[in-house]
Amino acid sequence: MLGNALPDIATTHAVCQSLKESGFEMIDSSDLAPTADPGYPWHRALQGRDLTWKSIPCTPIGRILTNSSLQIAESLRLIPKGIRDVSSFLNSGADALVAGGDQNIFTPMFFFLAVSLKKVLRNFDCTFRSSNVYPIRVSHLRYHLGVRVNA
């Protein structure tokens, strides 16, 4: 949570529970990160494992060079004081994201699909009343909407 501006991030369970309490029906929820690309996890770019120009600052040597360059630039007053501290802070945040991804305790790829049946029923009720059709049962409505129902 440190370095990522996420001090009070909700858990996946809390997200699903909040949606249910708000009147939504949960259709599906899952972490898409493991199935996205097993050979290239979402946090790999933060690790500096690939030797490209973009990944050099993420490597341990690249971080040392970046911090040293920033410290020199700060002492020469080319950049505002404190930039090196921010860089170090963000690097520790990146390390924490990598650790969270490795341990499967953090994901940026949480997927959920929810539907508000109150709104759907209200819209369909108006349509059916205006056309003098008998009201349909909720189970049929769910079938027609293509919503998967866990019985």
Side-chain angles (χ1 to χ4, degrees):
M1 295 189 307
L2 181 68
N4 292 304
L6 303 171
D8 56 354
I9 189 169
T11 63
T12 55
H13 176 72
V15 169
C16 293
Q17 190 63 32
S18 295
L19 284 166
K20 289 176 186 175
E21 290 172 3
S22 299
F24 288 89
E25 181 179 348
M26 289 299 300
I27 306 304
D28 191 16
S29 67
S30 62
D31 179 11
L32 298 180
T35 59
D37 188 356
Y40 195 87
W42 65 266
H43 52 83
R44 183 173 174 145
L46 298 173
Q47 292 175 315
R49 289 176 23 185
D50 303 323
L51 293 177
T52 64
W53 286 108
K54 287 183 178 181
S55 70
I56 290 175
C58 296
T59 62
I61 293 171
R63 288 183 180 183
I64 291 169
L65 290 174
T66 301
N67 276 342
S68 300
S69 301
L70 291 174
Q71 188 170 6
I72 292 168
E74 279 183 3
S75 64
L76 295 174
R77 296 183 182 180
L78 297 174
I79 59 174
K81 190 170 180 113
I83 297 273
R84 186 186 62 82
D85 293 335
V86 172
S87 176
S88 298
F89 182 69
L90 292 174
N91 284 332
S92 68
D95 291 340
L97 285 172
V98 170
D102 283 340
Q103 297 172 19
N104 293 322
I105 58 173
F106 178 80
T107 180
M109 301 174 71
F110 179 62
F111 167 79
F112 63 87
L113 176 61
V115 65
S116 172
L117 288 181
K118 292 176 187 175
K119 185 175 181 181
V120 170
L121 288 173
R122 186 173 41 237
N123 290 342
F124 272 92
D125 190 35
C126 294
T127 304
F128 288 123
R129 281 187 190 171
S130 65
S131 61
N132 294 326
V133 177
Y134 292 105
I136 65 174
R137 293 186 339 217
V138 173
S139 60
H140 290 164
L141 178 64
R142 289 182 183 175
Y143 174 76
H144 290 290
L145 293 174
V147 175
R148 189 177 56 192
V149 178
N150 296 330

